[in-house]
Amino acid sequence: MAFFSSSILSFSTLFLFMLGMASAQLSSNFYSSSCPTALSIIRGVVNTAVSKENRMGASLLRLHFHDCFVNGCDASVLLDDTTNLKGEKTAVPNKKSLRGYEVIDAIKSQLERQCPRVVSCADILAVAARDSVVKLGGTTWTVPLGRRDATTASFNDASKDLPSPNLDLSALKSAFRKKGFTASEMVTLSGGHTIGQVKCSIIRTRIYNETNIDSNFAASLKKNCPSTGGDSNLSPLDQTARVFDNTYFKDLVKKKGLMHSDQQLFNGGSTVSQVNTYSQNSAKFFYDFGCAMIKMGNLSPLTGSKGEIRTNCRKTN
Ligand code: HEM
Ligand SMILES: *[C@@H]1O[C@H](CO)[C@@H](O)[C@H](O)[C@H]1NC(C)=O
């Protein structure tokens, strides 16, 4: 009798434990009954936005990265400042730099019409990032879903947890190590810089003062990035910045990285061989990128009854 009751107890404990695990786990079919059109709605808005402006695909990819690296993938990055909240949008890495908020709003308003209070802003960011990469020529991955939205955001954490473009290799490695990523995954994720643009203010020191840069390349960048002024003039992040491909890595091998942090990956350190591999094998880069994006999307999601499903991605309910 004692045996039976203790095994019933341990079965129910195990069952509750597994339920707890299940609620903490994201799943790719999370909306298949609650909002079967969710994924096609997101894809439709992303495709329209990227067709209208190619760079938007890059901006949406970056939004998901900046969400996940600051207290996890919880859409905290989307909260506007209020009198009670100094959010993430005005932190140095984001201010006058992060973009794409209007596209997320457009997706959210369609989703609220179709399936009110069901699809989180954090999941919208994860799916929009994937759809952007696909639209720009990358290969797809399956996005785990079921994240919920934060009711708070952190200016301070956004200021310290997002890596600066002035970092050297060892500091880049530790910024990613802090979030649970290997140096190899850091190299893979940096391949996100195969699309999009960068401001003159960020590359100026590199193009005027660094030596590990192709001199013709530096000269050509100076035309659009004078030594003083023109701070917000844009340059493409690689030679084919409208397309998601492995050109970013080919460029690093040619000393044509845009930012200091980019070229650090191919500057005699431990990451050189991986950059060489990706520069010759885009299929390997694409496969690894999907895996690393899934891992990034798993950074401390709010699940179960934690957080909320915002009705407007810019504010808490
Ligand atoms: C390795 C450390 C990283 C650093 C230091 C870094 C830094 C930056 C900076 C400074 C910019 C340009 C901002 C501006 O000019 O306003 C930028 C742009 C961008 N970053 Fe990163 N980033 C890193 C990693 C990543 C990762 C992991 C991803 C995505 C997987 C990513 C995706 C992008 C994209 C797509 C853009 C272009 C955005 C646009 O054109 O709107 N970055 N990054
Ligand atoms: C380049 O280095 C010189 C000497 O250290 C410095 O005066 C100058 O401001 C630097 N220029 C840029 C664009 O960083």
Side-chain angles (χ1 to χ4, degrees):
M1 190 58 206
F3 166 77
F4 279 112
S5 56
S6 83
S7 49
I8 286 167
L9 183 70
S10 58
F11 269 123
S12 55
T13 311
L14 180 67
F15 179 70
L16 287 172
F17 172 74
M18 287 172 72
L19 257 184
M21 294 291 286
S23 68
Q25 194 75 38
L26 304 177
S27 94
S28 60
N29 60 7
F30 191 81
Y31 298 114
S32 54
S33 54
S34 58
C35 190
T37 53
L39 294 180
S40 61
I41 288 173
I42 299 171
R43 191 193 321 122
V45 177
V46 168
N47 285 349
T48 304
V50 176
S51 300
K52 208 164 112 195
E53 190 211 4
N54 179 282
R55 185 189 178 196
M56 190 51 72
S59 306
L60 292 171
L61 173 61
R62 188 173 186 228
L63 259 186
H64 181 46
F65 166 52
H66 282 215
D67 181 30
C68 294
F69 260 54
V70 181
N71 294 314
C73 313
D74 59 359
S76 54
V77 70
L78 300 176
L79 291 176
D80 284 339
D81 285 7
T82 68
T83 43
N84 304 316
L85 176 77
K86 192 176 183 194
E88 296 168 19
K89 290 182 173 179
T90 56
V92 165
N94 295 337
K95 194 178 181 178
K96 294 184 180 165
S97 179
L98 214 52
R99 57 201 294 283
Y101 304 119
E102 298 76 11
V103 177
I104 303 301
D105 292 339
I107 294 169
K108 184 62 178 172
S109 67
Q110 282 206 27
L111 286 171
E112 285 304 296
R113 262 177 273 142
Q114 200 66 227
C115 331
R117 293 173 180 258
V118 169
V119 183
S120 68
C121 300
D123 279 345
I124 295 173
L125 288 172
V127 175
R130 188 273 313 270
D131 291 347
S132 293
V133 167
V134 171
K135 175 74 176 167
L136 294 179
T139 52
T140 195
W141 63 89
T142 302
V143 181
L145 299 166
R147 300 168 190 80
R148 291 166 63 86
D149 300 325
T151 51
T152 186
S154 174
F155 176 89
N156 287 332
D157 293 335
S159 308
K160 75 176 168 47
D161 285 2
L162 292 164
S164 149
N166 304 320
L167 298 183
D168 289 342
L169 182 60
S170 65
L172 288 166
K173 283 184 190 173
S174 38
F176 278 74
R177 179 67 259 166
K178 230 180 102 181
K179 298 290 168 186
F181 292 97
T182 63
S184 168
E185 289 164 336
M186 187 266 289
V187 172
T188 307
L189 287 171
S190 298
H193 288 175
T194 178
I195 49 175
Q197 313 254 334
V198 57
K199 288 197 300 274
C200 167
S201 55
I202 288 167
I203 60 170
R204 184 177 283 125
T205 301
R206 170 152 171 75
I207 65 181
Y208 284 92
N209 275 2
E210 289 189 358
T211 52
N212 60 348
I213 186 169
D214 177 277
S215 56
N216 294 321
F217 180 60
S220 73
L221 289 168
K222 288 173 186 171
K223 291 176 193 155
N224 190 39
C225 185
S227 55
T228 51
D231 281 11
S232 54
N233 294 356
L234 295 170
S235 297
L237 272 167
D238 79 7
Q239 305 278 312
T240 60
R242 295 172 60 84
V243 181
F244 193 99
D245 59 13
N246 67 338
T247 301
Y248 170 78
F249 297 103
K250 292 181 180 172
D251 289 349
L252 295 184
V253 170
K254 297 177 199 152
K255 299 188 186 179
K256 292 182 178 178
L258 264 289
M259 300 181 217
H260 173 82
S261 52
D262 292 321
Q263 196 61 56
Q264 283 295 299
L265 307 183
F266 194 86
N267 194 41
S270 61
T271 52
V272 160
S273 68
Q274 192 182 350
V275 172
N276 271 320
T277 300
Y278 284 162
S279 75
Q280 292 157 19
N281 189 343
S282 70
K284 174 153 179 60
F285 165 53
F286 283 2
Y287 177 79
D288 291 352
F289 190 77
C291 295
M293 287 297 291
I294 291 170
K295 180 167 173 179
M296 190 178 88
N298 268 313
L299 284 172
S300 324
L302 299 171
T303 56
S305 57
K306 298 195 190 106
E308 62 182 20
I309 305 297
R310 277 180 220 151
T311 56
N312 175 342
C313 291
R314 293 174 184 264
K315 43 189 187 194
T316 60
N317 291 342

